[in-house]
Amino acid sequence: MAEEVKETREDFEAQLEESLNKASTNEDAVWNRLEQMKEDGDVLALTVGGVVNGGVIVYVEGIVNGGAIAMVEGIRGFIPASLLSTKYVEDLNVWLQKDVEAKIITVEPEEQRLVLSAKAVEKEKERKERENKINELKVGTVVEGTVENIMPYGAFVDIGDGISGLVHISQLSQKRVKSPEEVVKEGDAVTVKIIKVANGKVSLSIKALEEDKEAAKKAEETGVEYTEDAAGTSLGDLLANIKL
């Protein structure tokens, strides 16, 4: 009987060791996968499960065993308050049980430390939304805006919907301009023409509007029809075939 008990105990210990090794292997696989997800910039869908000093706790699902989703007990992530949103977070408690999307920014298996950023996901979404809005802009469109910042090389104008464009110093006036302040000041309401949209940037011009007005006036004086298509043409090109 004693021998049977001994064999049962040995079997139990062997099974326990096998289970522990398997659990350790699975946990290693999850941390490795999390590291890969960090490198790939993957976005994780999470739920805030706790509030601690300086941030919130989220429990992360690891992808193991050929893509099957499995919760690994003990692996949790931390999102600092400063990385929870693009907006200032005053009360962390209102985030409890909220669903968030976040990217992994730190993976330290030895320390069981996983840090994520929901702010990074928000910023990426805002960047893409801004790009889409910019891509919808049409060259030649005349828009209203407000001068928001002046640099030595030109003035940045807010044209609404979160989009700003640059009026280069050479596009501020038909006259030679040494400093943007000669033409505009911060806070000024201005009318500008979109002259270029490329690589997520918008180029604007005040000079082009002056040229359009001059071309329209000259066309009227000479009996030439001035159309919207002509508005996108330089004054020289417009008048090239006009016999005065």
Side-chain angles (χ1 to χ4, degrees), residues 63-197:
I63 301 178
V64 294
N65 298 331
I69 304 297
M71 175 67 77
V72 180
E73 186 178 355
I75 293 185
R76 64 179 189 169
F78 174 66
I79 304 180
S82 61
L83 298 179
L84 196 52
S85 174
T86 54
K87 301 178 180 64
Y88 175 70
V89 176
E90 185 173 356
D91 184 5
L92 289 172
N93 290 303
V94 301
W95 287 80
L96 191 61
Q97 299 306 314
K98 273 192 175 183
D99 294 332
V100 297
E101 291 183 329
K103 286 187 176 184
I104 300 169
I105 58 174
T106 301
V107 178
E108 296 179 352
E110 299 82 3
E111 303 295 329
Q112 296 283 295
R113 184 168 179 263
L114 187 70
V115 182
L116 304 98
S117 172
K119 182 177 181 179
V121 177
E122 283 190 15
K123 289 182 71 173
E124 180 67 15
K125 286 182 178 180
E126 290 173 358
R127 183 188 66 80
K128 288 182 178 179
E129 287 177 3
R130 182 177 180 276
E131 282 186 357
N132 290 335
K133 290 175 182 177
I134 288 176
N135 291 334
E136 291 174 357
L137 295 176
K138 303 297 182 183
V139 172
T141 304
V142 177
V143 295
E144 304 295 325
T146 304
V147 178
E148 61 179 0
N149 191 22
I150 293 179
M151 303 297 289
Y153 50 83
F156 285 94
V157 176
D158 179 0
I159 59 174
D161 214 9
I163 300 174
S164 295
L166 173 66
V167 182
H168 189 268
I169 191 169
S170 64
Q171 293 296 323
L172 282 169
S173 175
Q174 287 182 291
K175 301 176 182 178
R176 185 176 180 82
V177 177
K178 293 183 178 180
S179 171
E181 284 89 347
E182 294 178 25
V183 181
V184 293
K185 300 288 189 295
E186 287 187 12
D188 281 357
V190 293
T191 303
V192 293
K193 184 175 183 178
I194 299 173
I195 59 174
K196 185 178 180 182
V197 178

